Amino acid sequence: MSSPDPQVRAARNHATPPAVRGPVVAVTGAATGVGALLTARLAASEEVKRVIAIDERRGDCAAAQWHILDVRDPAIAERLRGADVVVHLALDLDLETEAAARTAYNVRGTQTVLTAAAAAGVHRVVLCTSAMVYGALPDNELPLSEDAELRATAEATGVGDLLEIERLARRAPRAHPGLNVTVVRPAVLVGGTDTALTRYFESPRLLVVAGSRPAWQFCHVEDLCGALEYAVLEKVDGELAVGCDGWLEQEEVEELSGIRRMELPSAVALGAAARLHRIGLTPSPAGDLAYTMYPWVVSGSRLHDAGWRPQWTNEEVLAELLDEVSGRHTVAGRRLGRKDATAAGAAGATVALLGAAAVVRRARKARRRI
């Protein structure tokens, strides 16, 4: 039998492209934020065979296979069958979410995903926490290595949840032999995000606590997605820190942003922040201030050793952040409406912090009248 004509053979090869040999990847929290960006990125990758997208509503990526459910539902195990890797991004870190409800969702969701992944035969789970888990402390090295001790406390927004997720990540391989868990810890995340740290740049003045030594390192969401993709493709594993190369001193941030500082004694700033949060006037607890006082810069050496490089600089990410928050007005962590912002003016942050005692007294008097 004669062999097929070369042109016929070439046409057949063109019509039937070779099967992708990469992993099947499931992404939770796939409809919004980082999850949506990563889902689209993986769906377009020639190194990924198929993407399973899981969320409580359908997202925009038509190339993914969608499953609509809550990640706390044990039925998720069936949806993960056939997946090689799971990237768990279904976390609630919204400043306005009630703390107990946020913790219940984040911790229970992570527990369920890890257990379901093991039951479904998944061999790798990628979790995303934050470099905040290292803690912001005056004696932190600049930069911190990935294996530095996690010295954060649960005093800042969502950090208690992230520390518990870190503990679950460490225990999972022992509880589920054969399950590999990779944890990715981004620096200050920018790109459609709303956190206490991004709101810091919505204030009319940049609060600086006297005697503190801030160091600012950012991470653009596109760079985070690139790092997550490296973990998915098993180009790197373990505990990974991700961010722009280097950092910015507070003076550099002020010069680049054009926002002047407001310096307060530590006792005044921390005490006022604690009181304002306690009576419900601001969403951010006093613990959030530590991350604007002391360094928590990371080296990202493991990703760098694997060949990954950030595509954004700290200066570029700060510029994008300032563009995103333009027109927003936040005082002591509370976002103001346009009318409130006009009334507050440039001195709003000072009034909010230094006047905290008066606010507390008024609130107490109001409660006594009821």
Side-chain angles (χ1 to χ4, degrees):
M1 181 181 294
S2 61
S3 60
D5 182 273
Q7 290 184 339
V8 174
R9 187 166 61 244
R12 287 176 180 171
N13 291 338
H14 180 71
T16 309
V20 177
R21 294 184 179 180
V24 174
V25 185
V27 180
T28 70
T32 59
V34 177
L37 292 173
L38 182 65
T39 298
R41 182 180 182 125
L42 295 177
S45 173
E46 295 181 354
E47 297 181 84
V48 173
K49 185 175 182 178
R50 181 164 55 93
V51 179
I52 301 169
I54 297 173
D55 209 316
E56 293 179 54
R57 68 175 181 83
R58 187 182 180 90
D60 297 329
C61 183
Q65 176 187 346
W66 285 90
H67 294 295
I68 313 303
L69 81 165
D70 189 313
V71 291
R72 294 169 293 181
D73 187 341
I76 194 173
E78 287 301 316
R79 307 299 190 271
L80 297 180
R81 294 203 182 277
D84 302 297
V85 184
V86 174
V87 186
H88 178 47
L89 298 173
L91 295 178
D92 181 1
L93 297 175
D94 192 315
L95 289 171
E96 309 299 336
T97 301
E98 195 273 325
R102 182 174 59 224
T103 296
Y105 179 82
N106 291 336
V107 175
R108 180 60 179 168
T110 303
Q111 288 174 325
T112 303
V113 167
L114 287 168
T115 302
V122 173
H123 75 267
R124 175 182 293 256
V125 174
V126 180
L127 302 176
C128 186
T129 60
S130 168
M132 294 176 78
V133 297
Y134 291 109
L137 299 158
D139 61 344
N140 274 346
E141 293 184 359
L142 274 170
L144 292 161
S145 65
E146 278 92 345
D147 56 4
E149 181 183 355
L150 306 188
R151 298 196 290 163
T153 65
E155 295 173 355
T157 304
V159 173
D161 298 357
L162 300 180
L163 289 170
E164 182 57 33
I165 290 170
E166 293 271 354
R167 285 189 282 270
L168 292 171
R170 288 194 296 271
R171 290 198 294 261
R174 298 195 297 270
H176 308 290
L179 183 64
N180 179 295
V181 179
T182 297
V183 180
V184 180
R185 301 165 179 159
V188 179
L189 196 59
V190 174
T193 58
D194 177 26
T195 67
L197 294 167
T198 59
R199 287 192 184 188
Y200 177 81
F201 293 93
E202 299 177 14
S203 298
R205 295 284 186 271
L206 296 179
L207 173 63
V208 177
V209 177
S212 65
R213 185 172 60 98
W216 289 92
Q217 181 187 36
F218 300 98
C219 178
H220 195 275
V221 291
E222 291 177 359
D223 281 338
L224 174 58
C225 286
L228 290 168
E229 185 176 20
Y230 256 64
V232 163
L233 298 175
E234 302 188 28
K235 296 179 180 180
V236 63
D237 59 13
E239 297 165 341
L240 312 173
V242 55
C244 299
D245 289 336
W247 62 90
L248 299 174
E249 302 288 352
Q250 182 70 23
E251 291 75 14
E252 294 177 284
V253 166
E254 291 169 20
E255 182 178 352
L256 290 167
S257 68
I259 308 174
R260 289 182 290 172
R261 70 167 58 194
M262 176 185 65
E263 191 163 319
L264 292 175
S266 175
V268 173
L270 292 171
R275 289 191 292 272
L276 289 168
H277 180 67
R278 189 164 56 245
I279 64 174
L281 290 183
T282 63
S284 297
D288 286 345
L289 269 182
Y291 291 90
T292 69
M293 294 170 61
Y294 303 118
W296 47 292
V297 171
V298 291
S299 69
S301 58
R302 287 180 183 153
L303 278 163
H304 280 66
D305 290 346
W308 177 91
R309 294 291 184 275
Q311 300 303 302
W312 293 71
T313 66
N314 281 303
E315 291 84 354
E316 290 169 341
V317 180
L318 175 58
E320 172 148 323
L321 172 57
L322 293 171
D323 186 58
E324 281 189 6
V325 304
S326 178
R328 298 176 190 168
H329 304 277
T330 293
V331 168
R334 182 173 70 90
R335 187 169 287 159
L336 304 178
R338 184 173 298 176
K339 182 178 179 180
D340 292 333
T342 302
T350 306
V351 172
L353 287 167
L354 296 181
V359 172
V360 172
R361 284 196 296 272
R362 285 199 297 271
R364 286 174 176 167
K365 288 179 181 177
R367 284 199 296 271
R368 283 198 293 269
R369 292 193 199 104
I370 297 174

